[in-house]
Amino acid sequence: MPGQNAMQIFTLLDKSNCGKCGDKTCLAFAGAVFTGRKSIDACPTLETDIKERFRSPGNDGAEAAENYLEEMTSQLATLDFSSAAERSGATLKNGWISARVMGKEFRVNREGRFSSDIHITNWVTGPFLSYILHGKGLEPTGNWITYREVDGGRERYGLFQQRAEADLRKVADAYPDLFRDMVEVFQGSEVENQFEADISVVLMPLPKVPVMISYWLPEDGLESSLNIFFDETVNDNLGNDGIYSICTGLTTMFEKLAERHGFKM
């Protein structure tokens, strides 16, 4: 069963959304397995022979993610740090290339050592390396697009909508200070008149990769709504895998923040 992606993993599951794996839906669980956050063994209904075939060489999601990070880290040895810093809007000091991630400094040196003012996790390090190594450094235009409009986004939108937009909407519904924290703690900026949303906040997970989160309050018996938008340059500056990782990582981070403040999703 080589080359698994999240939707292929999803087809293996019984779609019962039983929640026994710890995720709310089978689709969310498939995404967690694909990104290496969970083992396929966490599904209690999947037959043993399917699990064994999934774990055959080359099918461990966590191992694949680690191998991908190691491959990108190895490319730092030959990277022109000065050119990369200028292109990406980062800075270079004492052999470290540094960029602001959610308003906090995030650094790496040629040996692949990381240093940061925020917690170092794969959902940050992967996009950060991809941005520094391969991003074209285009200046944002201010023209916003949906995830469906990102290259490859239409095929992955169901998973993105569930794990990023839908789950983040639940946080916004339960945690009234969410958008204030986005602005005050993570140096976001509130913007007006965006798609007639009740509130829109722009975050900067990377210097030239703005992400806009727009939220519509519940009204006249209708549920609330939340959408995530990207500058049209995102394909050249980061790409689909990077923004998927960032948005699902941000959602998890905000879920934990809300829970620390006593709010349950």
Side-chain angles (χ1 to χ4, degrees), residues 65-81 108-114 125-126 129-130 132-134:
E66 289 299 326
N67 289 341
Y68 178 63
L69 287 175
E70 288 180 10
E71 169 60 27
M72 285 199 294
T73 301
S74 70
Q75 296 177 36
L76 294 170
T78 57
L79 179 67
D80 183 337
F81 268 35
V108 68
N109 66 10
R110 197 171 296 282
E111 289 72 41
R113 291 176 53 206
F114 290 94
T125 54
L129 286 172
S130 179
I132 295 296
L133 290 166
H134 307 301

Side-chain angles (χ1 to χ4, degrees), residues 19-263:
K20 295 178 181 178
C21 63
D23 280 296
K24 297 177 182 178
T25 67
C26 291
L27 188 60
F29 175 70
V33 174
F34 175 63
T35 56
R37 291 185 292 108
K38 285 195 174 179
S39 166
I40 193 72
D41 291 315
C43 177
T45 64
L46 198 59
E47 295 179 2
T48 302
D49 64 325
I50 296 178
K51 292 180 180 180
E52 291 298 327
R53 281 187 287 137
F54 180 86
R55 285 196 299 266
S56 62
N59 284 296
D60 189 312
E63 182 179 354
E66 289 299 326
N67 289 341
Y68 178 63
L69 287 175
E70 288 180 10
E71 169 60 27
M72 285 199 294
T73 301
S74 70
Q75 296 177 36
L76 294 170
T78 57
L79 179 67
D80 183 337
F81 268 35
S82 179
S83 175
E86 182 178 0
R87 164 174 47 82
S88 62
T91 58
L92 183 61
K93 183 177 180 180
N94 298 327
W96 292 78
I97 190 167
S98 174
R100 297 187 75 81
V101 174
M102 300 290 289
K104 311 294 184 182
E105 291 296 324
F106 197 90
R107 299 168 286 270
V108 68
N109 66 10
R110 197 171 296 282
E111 289 72 41
R113 291 176 53 206
F114 290 94
S115 172
S116 179
D117 299 332
I118 62 174
H119 189 54
I120 298 174
T121 63
N122 284 355
W123 72 263
V124 176
T125 54
F128 177 83
L129 286 172
S130 179
Y131 177 74
I132 295 296
L133 290 166
H134 307 301
K136 293 184 179 180
L138 301 182
E139 293 296 332
T141 65
N143 293 324
W144 298 101
I145 62 174
T146 67
Y147 185 77
R148 290 189 187 90
E149 298 171 275
V150 175
D151 290 348
R154 188 173 297 276
E155 294 80 5
R156 298 176 69 180
Y157 178 68
L159 190 61
F160 177 85
Q161 194 278 332
Q162 173 69 39
R163 188 62 195 94
E165 292 179 328
D167 282 357
L168 189 55
R169 178 182 67 83
K170 294 174 184 176
V171 178
D173 289 346
Y175 182 37
D177 290 333
L178 173 65
F179 294 101
R180 187 195 68 182
D181 284 348
M182 286 183 182
V183 173
E184 295 183 0
V185 180
F186 301 104
Q187 298 186 16
S189 57
E190 187 172 349
V191 294
E192 297 181 354
N193 301 321
Q194 294 294 327
F195 308 111
E196 299 183 354
D198 291 296
I199 185 168
S200 291
V201 171
V202 174
L203 298 173
M204 297 297 296
L206 290 163
K208 297 183 180 182
V209 185
V211 173
M212 182 169 68
I213 301 171
S214 294
Y215 178 68
W216 291 260
L217 292 164
E219 185 179 10
D220 297 331
L222 299 176
E223 291 187 342
S224 62
S225 180
L226 185 146
N227 289 114
I228 302 175
F229 300 92
F230 311 92
D231 190 87
E232 63 181 353
T233 57
V234 71
N235 288 314
D236 293 311
N237 286 348
L238 185 59
N240 192 316
D241 288 343
I243 62 172
Y244 180 89
S245 178
I246 281 175
C247 290
T248 54
L250 285 175
T251 298
T252 299
M253 180 181 72
F254 288 130
E255 286 174 336
K256 292 179 179 177
L257 182 64
E259 289 173 357
R260 284 203 298 270
H261 284 81
F263 296 94

